[in-house]
Amino acid sequence: MNIIRKNPNRPGSTASGQQPDASRRIFLQGLVAGGVMSALGLNPARALAADGQPAANVLRGTEFDLVIEEMPVNFTGQPRPAMTINGSIPGPTLRWREGDVVTLRVTNRLKVSTSLHWHGIILPFEMDGVPGLTYAGIAPGTTFTYRFRVQQSGTYWYHSHSGFQEQNAVYGAIVIDPANADRVAYDRDHVVMLNDWSDASPDFIFNRLKTADGYYNYVKPDLMDLIRQSEKMGFGAAIEDRLMWDRMRMSPRDLLDVTGATYTYLMNGSTPAADWTALFRPGEKIRLRFINGSSMSYFDVRIPGLKMTVVAADGQDVHPVTVDEFRIGVAETFDVIVEPASDQAYCVFAQALDRSGYARGTLTPHTDLRAPVPPMDPVPTLTMADMGMDMSGMDMSGMDMSGMDMGGMDMGGMNRHGQPMNGMAMGDQKSMAGMAGMNHDQSAHPGMASMNMGGQSKQGMAMDQPKPMSGMGGMNHDHNAHPGMADMDMSGQSKQGMAMGAQKPMSGMAGMDQEASMHQPMPHNPMDLPGLHNRQLKDGMLKIDWHPETEHGVGVGMKAQQVSMSLNDPGAGLRNNGRRVLTYGDLRGIDGPISPREPERGIELHLTGNMERYIWGFNGVSYRDATPVELKYGETVRVVLINDTMMNHPIHLHGMWSELENDRGEYLARKHTLSVAPGHAISYRVHANAIGRWAYHCHLLYHMNAGMFREVRVV
C-alpha cells in the first residue's frame, strides 16, 4: 500500500487563506500499521506495551552490545534499505547511571565503515566516535569497544558520525539516571525521539541541494499569497516586497532545506499514521524526554490541552518554566513534565518549522482512546525584518507591521550576489530620529519617500528597547501585544514549577540562589575582549562593522550588518500565536558555570553560506580549507557566533559544555547544542577542560557535510 498522496482534507494539511495550496504539497503520512520492517517482525521503538509496562527496546546496565547492519524498512509503502542498530529504528534506548563505567561493543555489519558518537556526553576524546578526529572509525566486519565513566545525568542521544548514515537511521536515545535522588519528581518517563526519514538516498538529497536551489521547497509564495499580503500591507507595498525578494533571489519561505516534500516525520520510529502511543494514569506526573534526532528538521512541539513544564535542556536541569510550546532544533533535547488529570487522550504534536508535515503520537489512559490531531499553523513567511535585511524601496504606507520582529534586523545593508542594498541602520537609535540614517536615494529606494510608520504597531520589534524611537510614536508597548514576554520574571516561574517536583528530595538545588547574582549589572561590555571584533552592543543589538577577511567569494551569499543578541524571540512562526512559547531567555541552569573565571579572550565566528551553491562554513571557510580552533587547557573563552545566513544553525561542540549567556554576558545554562537564528548572534562560554581533538559543527547534516565544520583542539 502506497499512501503517498495529496489530500487537502487531511488533518493539518490546510488552513484556509494561510496554508500553501495543498495541490503543491506532498505530505508523507507513512504506513498506518507500524510500517518498519513489519514483515520481518521488527518494530519501531514503543513506549509502553498494552499493560502499561516498559517496552523491551531499552538496554540497561554497564555492558552493551550494539550491531549496526543494513535492513529493509517500509515507512511509506516503498521498501527501502536502512541502517539499523540491533534491528530497530531508533536503536535501543541506553539507560546508564551517573558514575558507572560503561562498556559498549559496537559491531559493524555494513559494507562500509561506520561509527557511533555519544552526543552531549563528557568523555575522553578517544571515545567520542568521530572518524578522522578521534579514531579511524569502525571498519566492516570489526568491533570497536568504547569504555568511559559516565560523569553526568539527563537525556542525550547517540548517532553515527560517518557520512550521511544519520539520515539512514543510525541513532538512538540515552537516558542517564543521576547518582543521587533525582531533582525532578515524576511517576514515569517516556523518550520522545523525533526524526526525519526519506525514501530517497542521502546522496541523492545532497546532490539536489547542490544543484537545484529550493528543490524541496513547495511552499513558495503564489498569487493567493500576494493577494493576502496586499490585504495586509497594501498592493504597492506587497509588490515592492515581492520584487525585493526576487532581486535577492530568495524566498520568504525558505525555511528548511529539506522538507516534507521528501520527508516522513517520525516519532520514536512511528509515522504519523502509525501514531506512537504511551499510556498514563490520570493524575500522574509524566516526564517526556524530547530528542530531536533528525538530520535537517526543526520542530515546534505542543500537546493541546496540556501545559508543559520544562525541567531540563540538553540533559542539564533548569529551573522549571511552564509553556504551551517549544521549538527544538536539530540535536537538542528538552525534558518536560506534563500532568494529564483527565481520563482523555492527548496528541503529542511536533510540526516541522515550515509546516510541510508533522510527527505525532498519543498520550492516552486507554489504548483504544485517541485525541484529534490539531491543524498545522500557517506557514511562516519571513519578512525583510526577519532576515535582517534592507527594507528600503518598500512603500510601507499603510503597512501593518504587527508580528514583524525587527529585533536583530539588519536594516543597514546587505550584499547579496554583489547587489549592494545599503539602507537604513535602525539599530543606531540616534539615527532613527527622523530616519536620518536612511539612504533616501530615490533610485535605490523608490518607495521610501512615502514611508509612514506613524501609528504602526511595534509588535515583535526589539522589545527591550528602552528609549523612544523618534518617528515610531505609534508603536504598541502594551504587554498584551507581546504575550510571550509577559512572564519573563523567572523567579516566579521557578517557584511555581519547582512545586511540581517537591514530592522527592530536591538535593543539589544550591545553585538556585545564583539567580540574584545573575541579574547584577555587568560593569563592562561583554564584547570588550581580545579576539572579539564587533563590540558595538547596545540594548541587545550588535552592530556588525567588521567581517573576517576570509568572508568573501562564492561561499558567502550575504553578510549581516546588525544582529540581535536578545534571547527572547521565539522565532518565525511562533511569535504572537497566543501560546506561551519557550525561548532561550527562559533557561536558567540549576548548576552554575563550570568555572568561576571570567573569559580571558573571545572567539568570533561568522556562520556563512551560499544557498544557491550550497556551500557552508565558518568565516567563509569550509572545513577542508580551515585550520583548527585552538584552546589552551584550563582557559575560559567567550565564543560569539554571528549568523550571516538566512537559515537557523544548531551548533554543537563535542566534549565540553557551551555555557549560554545573555546579552549582558551573564551565565544562563549549559548546552551541548545552541541554535542561532537568522539575524541573530549568540554568545557562550567554553571552559577548556578536556584535552584532545574535538568536532565543532552545524548539526544540520547537509550543512556539516557541505563545510560548516571545524576541529577544536585543546592543548
Side-chain angles (χ1 to χ4, degrees):
M1 178 177 65
N2 185 347
I3 67 164
I4 301 174
R5 63 187 67 167
K6 300 175 182 178
N7 182 358
N9 298 318
R10 180 185 299 114
S13 66
T14 64
S16 179
Q18 295 177 312
Q19 294 281 4
D21 186 348
S23 66
R24 293 191 297 110
R25 300 172 56 212
I26 298 176
F27 179 83
L28 306 181
Q29 281 273 35
L31 292 179
V32 174
V36 184
M37 300 167 287
S38 57
L40 300 175
L42 302 172
N43 293 295
R46 298 290 185 185
L48 295 176
D51 60 359
Q53 297 303 308
N57 199 27
V58 177
L59 301 179
R60 301 173 184 271
T62 58
E63 301 272 341
F64 302 88
D65 289 289
L66 303 174
V67 177
I68 303 175
E69 59 188 330
E70 185 172 300
M71 303 189 80
V73 301
N74 192 344
F75 286 112
T76 66
Q78 301 294 329
R80 290 290 186 273
M83 297 177 180
T84 66
I85 304 173
N86 289 11
S88 70
I89 298 176
T93 295
L94 306 179
R95 300 279 318 213
W96 302 343
R97 177 168 290 279
E98 181 182 11
D100 285 350
V101 174
V102 294
T103 301
L104 304 109
R105 292 175 288 273
V106 180
T107 298
N108 180 7
R109 293 183 181 166
L110 301 172
K111 297 178 181 177
V112 297
S113 180
T114 189
S115 60
L116 283 183
H117 161 63
W118 319 101
H119 188 105
I121 302 300
I122 303 301
L123 40 57
F125 81 95
E126 297 91 341
M127 298 289 105
D128 196 42
V130 180
L133 275 188
T134 66
Y135 72 158
I138 308 172
T142 66
T143 298
F144 184 86
T145 300
Y146 299 83
R147 184 176 292 109
F148 51 87
R149 183 176 299 281
V150 179
Q151 305 177 47
Q152 61 209 94
S153 61
T155 304
Y156 305 91
W157 64 300
Y158 62 99
H159 60 83
S160 172
H161 225 291
S162 299
F164 297 125
Q165 292 178 8
E166 193 179 330
Q167 180 77 87
N168 280 118
V170 185
Y171 46 69
I174 299 171
V175 176
I176 307 174
D177 296 316
N180 300 310
D182 203 319
R183 289 165 169 161
V184 180
Y186 57 91
D187 297 301
R188 69 173 79 190
D189 64 339
H190 301 293
V191 167
V192 183
M193 192 166 201
L194 305 171
N195 299 100
D196 43 25
W197 168 264
S198 174
D199 282 348
S201 74
D203 291 303
F204 177 87
I205 294 173
F206 192 56
N207 178 270
R208 289 298 174 272
L209 293 173
K210 294 286 288 184
T211 57
D213 183 31
Y215 183 83
Y216 294 107
N217 185 354
Y218 284 27
V219 293
K220 294 178 181 177
D222 57 15
L223 177 61
M224 290 305 299
D225 292 310
L226 179 62
I227 293 173
R228 286 190 287 270
Q229 189 177 7
S230 298
E231 292 173 352
K232 293 181 178 179
M233 62 169 46
F235 183 73
I239 289 293
E240 288 293 338
D241 180 73
R242 185 66 60 88
L243 291 175
M244 183 171 289
W245 283 103
D246 289 345
R247 285 195 294 270
M248 295 186 298
R249 303 177 189 174
M250 292 180 173
S251 167
R253 286 181 173 163
D254 201 350
L255 302 163
L256 294 174
D257 294 349
V258 190
T259 71
T262 188
Y263 278 153
T264 298
Y265 299 107
L266 307 178
M267 183 173 290
N268 287 337
S270 294
T271 65
D275 189 12
W276 170 81
T277 301
L279 297 179
F280 70 88
R281 296 184 180 88
E284 286 185 326
K285 289 183 173 66
I286 312 296
R287 183 172 189 164
L288 300 176
R289 303 175 182 271
F290 285 93
I291 303 169
N292 187 347
S294 70
S295 295
M296 293 293 289
S297 305
Y298 275 61
F299 294 98
D300 295 332
V301 178
R302 57 192 164 99
I303 307 176
L306 286 180
K307 294 286 186 181
M308 298 182 290
T309 299
V310 179
V311 294
D314 286 1
Q316 298 295 288
D317 293 343
V318 298
H319 290 274
V321 53
T322 300
V323 300
D324 300 306
E325 188 169 20
F326 62 86
R327 174 165 291 171
I328 184 168
V330 175
E332 290 186 306
T333 75
F334 288 109
D335 289 22
V336 307
I337 298 292
V338 296
E339 297 181 79
S342 303
D343 191 38
Q344 68 175 80
Y346 299 89
C347 178
V348 183
F349 188 66
Q351 57 182 337
L353 187 154
D354 69 334
R355 314 308 186 222
S356 62
Y358 58 80
R360 67 115 171 183
T362 299
L363 289 176
T364 180
H366 311 288
T367 54
D368 58 347
L369 189 61
R370 289 293 183 270
V373 180
M376 285 193 289
D377 290 335
V379 179
T381 299
L382 301 175
T383 66
M384 291 294 159
D386 283 306
M387 302 312 303
M389 296 178 184
D390 197 330
M391 295 179 67
S392 59
M394 294 177 62
D395 179 2
M396 299 175 68
S397 301
M399 178 177 175
D400 178 9
M401 297 181 67
S402 62
M404 293 174 65
D405 182 0
M406 299 175 71
M409 176 175 177
D410 169 16
M411 307 282 286
M414 182 195 71
N415 190 318
R416 171 70 174 170
H417 304 301
Q419 300 177 28
M421 304 291 288
N422 296 327
M424 56 187 184
M426 293 189 69
D428 184 345
Q429 298 171 26
K430 293 179 180 179
S431 69
M432 290 300 296
M435 299 294 189
M438 292 171 58
N439 180 349
H440 293 275
D441 185 330
Q442 295 300 301
S443 61
H445 315 295
M448 292 304 287
S450 59
M451 180 174 177
N452 175 15
M453 298 181 70
Q456 303 301 321
S457 169
K458 184 180 172 279
Q459 288 178 323
M461 296 183 65
M463 298 173 190
D464 53 357
Q465 189 67 267
K467 298 180 180 180
M469 302 171 74
S470 178
M472 294 201 173
M475 291 178 175
N476 180 7
H477 294 268
D478 190 324
H479 278 275
N480 293 330
H482 315 296
M485 303 292 292
D487 300 320
M488 293 307 295
D489 181 355
M490 293 301 298
S491 58
Q493 293 179 5
S494 298
K495 295 174 182 176
Q496 180 184 8
M498 292 310 294
M500 294 183 58
Q503 295 179 359
K504 293 184 179 180
M506 306 295 285
S507 60
M509 300 298 289
M512 291 183 66
D513 59 6
Q514 66 185 310
E515 276 197 347
S517 62
M518 286 179 184
H519 299 287
Q520 295 300 318
M522 296 292 290
H524 63 276
N525 179 355
M527 304 298 289
D528 188 15
L529 280 177
L532 300 182
H533 302 274
N534 291 292
R535 302 184 179 185
Q536 296 190 52
L537 175 64
K538 189 174 184 180
D539 300 323
M541 302 300 295
L542 181 65
K543 185 176 181 180
I544 309 300
D545 52 15
W546 178 90
H547 286 272
E549 294 181 356
T550 52
E551 196 175 352
H552 61 78
V554 297
V556 180
M558 55 185 288
K559 298 177 183 177
Q561 296 295 322
Q562 180 166 282
V563 295
S564 171
M565 297 191 72
S566 170
L567 300 177
N568 297 324
D569 180 7
L574 295 180
R575 304 173 186 126
N576 306 317
N577 67 1
R579 300 188 286 265
R580 173 73 167 90
V581 182
L582 181 76
T583 69
Y584 277 0
D586 293 327
L587 299 179
R588 297 289 185 276
I590 290 177
D591 295 310
I594 302 294
S595 170
R597 297 171 59 182
E598 286 294 312
E600 295 94 352
R601 66 184 179 101
I603 297 175
E604 180 175 320
L605 293 171
H606 292 240
L607 311 179
T608 55
N610 182 318
M611 295 286 289
E612 290 185 327
R613 296 174 181 263
Y614 214 72
I615 300 172
W616 301 96
F618 292 100
N619 290 351
V621 181
S622 291
Y623 176 56
R624 63 183 180 184
D625 300 319
T627 57
V629 176
E630 290 201 355
L631 303 179
K632 183 179 179 181
Y633 180 75
E635 73 170 338
T636 300
V637 299
R638 170 165 292 131
V639 179
V640 177
L641 298 177
I642 296 171
N643 192 347
D644 281 337
T645 78
M646 65 181 300
M647 305 300 293
N648 291 279
H649 297 286
I651 304 298
H652 171 45
L653 172 63
H654 291 219
M656 293 164 283
W657 292 109
S658 300
E659 300 181 81
L660 177 67
E661 301 176 320
N662 61 19
D663 61 341
R664 297 182 294 277
E666 299 163 341
Y667 167 80
L668 294 182
R670 299 177 189 174
K671 295 268 291 170
H672 52 59
T673 306
L674 285 165
S675 182
V676 191
H680 284 71
I682 205 165
S683 76
Y684 56 97
R685 305 177 188 188
V686 175
H687 181 57
N689 57 358
I691 287 178
R693 302 175 66 189
W694 301 102
Y696 181 61
H697 59 92
C698 177
H699 221 285
L700 296 178
L701 182 63
Y702 300 106
H703 286 193
M704 179 179 70
N705 281 275
M708 194 172 276
F709 188 103
R710 284 287 181 92
E711 175 187 346
V712 171
R713 287 184 182 174
V714 179
V715 297

